[in-house]
Amino acid sequence: DVEANSTVPEAGLVAAAVGGGGGGGGGVGVGACSREIELGSDDICGNAIVLDEEGRPGEKGSAVAAAKKEVSGGSGGARRVRMAAAEPVVEDNEVSSKPEGLVRLKRVLVSVSDKTSIVELCRYLAELGVEIISTGGSARTLMDNGIAVVEVSDYTKFPELLDGRLKTLNPKIHGGLLGIRGNKDHEEAMKEHGILPIDACVVNLYPFQETVKSGADFNTCVENIDIGGPAMIRAAAKNFSAVTVVTDVDQYTEFLTELTELDGRTSLKLRQKYAGAALARTAAYDAAIAGWFSQQSGSPFPEKLVLSATLKHGLRYGENPHQNAAFYVSDTSQRVGVATSEVVQGKELSFNNISDTEAAFELVSEFDEPAVAIIKHANPCGAAVGVNSVDAYLRALACDPVSAFGGIVAFNRTIDKDAAEEVIKVFTEVVIGPDATAEALQVFSAKKNLRVLLTGSIPKDDSGWVIKSVSGGYLVQDRDGGSVTEAQLKVVTKRSPTPKEMSDMLFAWKVCKHIKSNAIVFAKEGSTVGQGAGQMSRVDSARIAALKAKDASDAAQEEAPRTQGSVVASDAFFPFPDGLIVCAEAGATAIIQPGGSKRDQEVIEAADSRNMAMVFTQMRHFRH
């Protein structure tokens, strides 16, 4: 029996069995772990269980008196368990020499901002006889749920200071995490300074990124930069040979499963795996902070570029079957797109699916009116605006129905039943849009392999970077958010464009921005009618665009090519008049292009001689 204010010899450990009253059970929390434990009436409530040297109950279900009469009935809540300061010892918890390197958990440090499932985790640890050291809000949460903890300030004998900024930065915490088990010098130093080994830490960090995303002010963001958390994580990860570091709620199930299967111990394999994840977590956290600070200073490009992303899932292969690939989601970008979308049905997305779907969605996001783009190999084979989504889809499809087979379809409006019914008439790999009606999803469900992605919205701005890798480095640039209005255009020909030509040119210019250079787009009445993409010479792109338009017209048995009465957009200037002449011969009446060639005057004269209207944007849209 253990009387209140008595001591327990080092041969046994004491755990508080916290219950609602009388002999009530509940979560078991370790109450001591050094040579002696002081059990005061204000420290222990409910019942107590004596644990053996391995941290297990000496006699299952046996309870002993653990407090004075006035508290023996239990208060229904956990109280602190104070450890005597006299003669602290380093417990014998050497790492097994076997390859699996098993370590039994006797003491765990818990400090979490995200308290999801932390009560369930710690209740299980307590039932295993593990002592729980915890900080501030974490400690309160656990005690409020009947789990006994040792508060950090009681353990370190040092109070929290500076509005909570200084809590765990203490030798008794970091020494317990960093001390090498089995190292005589370390163990003697730990004994001399009263440092006990900490076998695991469960830590997640202040929500800095979430705070920034919420639009919080500068000082609030700064206050959400965690200091003690990363320090503990790095310390525990460095000493993974003996310490388990858990940094993600998603790890809890695996962690507890291993403890169950290995009788309260963890393996070297798991500890090393978690150490790698922990160091990646702190690196990502620091990357987010560094990037944010760089933005606040007004520097467009930091001296050190630190990127951070989280693996979303592996891919079957890359662009080709012999290439390995994976899909990562940025930890810092807030831009809506494929990476943030919900896949509501269909097969696993491939590398090329993701790339093409992103291209399609970016294109339709250019437009305020209902718009649809159909993409193959990152280039649109059809794009259009319409009075509604189904109208826009049918107009986009008509541009090149042959190439649309096996394509990606993007909408910038909620996809309705009518649009869905038209889409499934053509073999389509992916459909993406901000939302879809229940009726549309029901229609899509008839095509089990069709991937349907919903983003929730469309991108609201063009901020952010585009990054490309080169051997030994990266190319970084702002996203191409360039656009022009009618007022910004410069008419350079004798004839000014008609209102209809102007409307079509502005439409074609937006589409042309999303086609691989050299890019030429024929457009008419809010729809593309021919595209030439990715050619080494601009005149060849013009010829291909005209040919594709004629092929579609012939297939539809139309009397005249669709390029008759169309307008043309060119992503860069015409270096010679030949490209413009090809467009004019195909029936185009107006051209929108950046201008800036040494031979601009020759090109203007060629347009004037054919009664064409031409405007300069003074903005280029190369895309490689």
Side-chain angles (χ1 to χ4, degrees):
D1 291 347
V2 182
E3 296 295 333
N5 298 313
S6 65
T7 61
V8 177
E10 61 178 312
L13 304 177
V14 172
V18 181
V28 179
V30 172
C33 53
S34 60
R35 181 182 297 276
E36 289 187 343
I37 309 303
E38 181 179 315
L39 300 178
S41 61
D42 64 336
D43 295 322
I44 302 295
C45 65
N47 301 321
I49 296 174
V50 177
L51 306 179
D52 62 21
E53 291 179 331
E54 292 296 321
R56 301 175 183 172
E59 182 177 346
K60 185 176 180 180
S62 64
V64 294
K68 290 183 177 179
K69 183 176 180 180
E70 59 265 31
V71 297
S72 63
S75 65
R79 300 185 187 178
R80 293 192 303 274
V81 181
R82 300 182 187 276
M83 295 184 295
E87 297 186 75
V89 298
V90 177
E91 294 178 36
D92 180 16
N93 197 17
E94 294 184 2
V95 180
S96 168
S97 60
K98 295 181 180 180
E100 58 267 27
L102 301 182
V103 173
R104 183 175 301 285
L105 298 194
K106 296 183 179 181
R107 188 173 298 106
V108 173
L109 176 65
V110 176
S111 179
V112 294
S113 291
D114 180 358
K115 295 176 176 58
T116 303
S117 301
I118 195 61
V119 170
E120 293 79 3
L121 173 69
C122 289
R123 179 169 288 122
Y124 187 86
L125 293 174
E127 289 171 354
L128 291 176
V130 178
E131 177 188 16
I132 299 172
I133 303 171
S134 190
T135 60
S138 301
R140 287 190 295 274
T141 296
L142 298 178
M143 288 191 289
D144 288 346
N145 284 274
I147 299 172
V149 301
V150 177
E151 291 193 58
V152 163
S153 57
D154 290 333
Y155 173 63
T156 61
K157 306 301 180 186
F158 204 92
E160 292 186 9
L161 297 177
L162 310 179
D163 297 323
R165 285 188 171 196
L166 189 60
K167 290 182 285 193
T168 58
L169 296 173
N170 187 287
K172 293 190 75 171
I173 296 297
H174 286 270
L177 294 170
L178 286 167
I180 299 176
R181 280 48 161 180
N183 182 303
K184 183 179 179 181
D185 292 341
H186 284 211
E187 291 181 347
E188 287 179 355
M190 292 171 73
K191 181 176 181 179
E192 178 183 354
H193 295 285
I195 298 172
L196 300 173
I198 297 174
D199 307 310
C201 70
V202 181
V203 180
N204 55 55
L205 306 175
Y206 290 173
F208 173 79
Q209 289 134 301
E210 292 78 3
T211 302
V212 171
K213 289 180 181 179
S214 72
D217 60 66
F218 181 87
N219 289 334
T220 300
C221 292
V222 170
E223 282 305 310
N224 276 274
I225 297 175
D226 204 329
I227 303 301
M232 288 187 291
I233 289 172
R234 290 177 64 84
K238 180 174 182 176
N239 204 19
F240 70 88
S241 62
V243 181
T244 309
V245 55
V246 182
T247 55
D248 194 318
V249 173
D250 291 339
Q251 295 172 331
Y252 290 0
T253 298
E254 181 183 32
F255 176 49
L256 293 181
T257 298
E258 174 140 317
L259 289 175
T260 301
E261 294 175 348
L262 298 180
D263 192 24
R265 297 173 294 181
T266 61
S267 66
L268 177 61
K269 181 179 180 181
L270 183 77
R271 293 195 301 275
Q272 187 168 355
K273 172 184 173 182
Y274 281 7
L279 294 171
R281 176 69 186 100
T282 58
Y285 193 74
D286 287 341
I289 295 169
W292 178 77
F293 259 101
S294 177
Q295 292 174 357
Q296 301 308 304
S297 68
S299 173
F301 299 105
E303 188 69 24
K304 290 285 186 181
L305 175 61
V306 186
L307 304 177
S308 173
T310 299
L311 179 66
K312 186 167 186 175
H313 54 74
L315 300 172
R316 286 174 293 165
Y317 51 80
E319 283 189 283
N320 302 291
H322 63 275
Q323 294 174 272
N324 295 323
F327 188 23
Y328 285 83
V329 177
S330 171
D331 291 332
T332 55
S333 174
Q334 302 179 46
R335 189 173 178 83
V336 174
V338 176
T340 63
S341 68
E342 176 189 4
V343 181
V344 297
Q345 77 159 57
K347 297 189 302 183
E348 175 187 340
L349 287 163
S350 71
F351 184 100
N352 294 328
N353 288 154
I354 294 169
S355 177
D356 288 352
T357 303
E358 178 73 2
F361 193 62
E362 286 290 326
L363 196 163
V364 296
S365 297
E366 293 277 352
F367 296 95
D368 294 326
E369 57 267 63
V372 169
I374 304 173
I375 297 289
K376 285 287 287 292
H377 299 293
N379 286 303
C381 51
V385 294
V387 294
N388 53 41
S389 291
V390 67
D391 177 48
Y393 172 74
L394 291 173
R395 289 159 55 78
L397 178 64
C399 177
D400 189 355
V402 174
S403 297
F405 183 86
I408 311 293
V409 178
F411 293 83
N412 69 349
R413 292 288 193 277
T414 296
I415 307 167
D416 59 22
K417 180 182 178 182
D418 291 342
E421 287 177 338
E422 292 297 333
V423 169
I424 65 169
K425 292 178 181 179
V426 179
F427 170 59
T428 301
E429 291 277 5
V430 183
V431 175
I432 185 171
D435 203 354
T437 65
E439 293 80 8
L441 293 178
Q442 182 63 36
V443 171
F444 286 141
S445 68
K447 301 291 184 179
K448 301 298 183 184
N449 291 332
L450 172 64
R451 295 93 160 174
V452 178
L453 280 61
L454 302 180
T455 63
S457 62
I458 60 173
K460 294 180 173 58
D461 61 61
D462 289 301
S463 61
W465 288 340
V466 175
I467 301 175
K468 292 185 178 182
S469 62
V470 297
S471 296
Y474 299 94
L475 288 171
V476 182
Q477 65 176 348
D478 293 331
R479 188 181 299 278
D480 184 0
S483 62
V484 295
T485 63
E486 181 176 347
Q488 294 171 316
L489 299 176
K490 180 182 179 182
V491 179
V492 295
T493 50
K494 294 177 181 178
R495 184 174 75 80
S496 295
T498 66
K500 176 180 175 298
E501 288 174 329
M502 181 62 72
S503 176
D504 279 340
M505 284 193 294
L506 290 172
F507 164 81
W509 183 247
K510 290 180 179 180
V511 176
C512 193
K513 171 181 169 180
H514 294 270
I515 296 179
K516 298 291 186 181
S517 301
N518 288 305
I520 292 290
V521 175
F522 285 84
K524 184 166 63 177
E525 297 176 355
S527 173
T528 58
V529 295
Q531 297 87 219
Q535 297 305 303
M536 287 66 74
S537 67
R538 193 156 302 278
V539 67
D540 284 342
S541 287
R543 289 178 179 134
I544 290 171
L547 177 63
K548 295 293 289 184
K550 184 178 184 303
D551 288 346
S553 298
D554 291 344
Q557 298 182 338
E558 295 170 348
E559 293 183 0
R562 295 173 183 176
T563 49
Q564 289 290 333
S566 67
V567 303
V568 169
S570 174
D571 65 335
F573 61 68
F574 287 96
F576 300 96
D578 55 357
L580 179 142
I581 293 170
V582 169
C583 295
E585 290 175 347
T589 61
I591 289 183
I592 183 171
Q593 59 133 323
S597 168
K598 293 180 179 180
R599 297 180 176 84
D600 273 350
Q601 187 57 43
E602 294 178 36
V603 177
I604 292 170
E605 290 172 358
D608 282 337
S609 67
R610 289 162 177 80
N611 195 34
M612 297 180 75
M614 185 162 63
V615 297
F616 284 178
T617 63
Q618 303 177 80
M619 176 185 292
R620 189 180 70 186
H621 280 311
F622 269 166
R623 188 178 186 88
H624 294 104

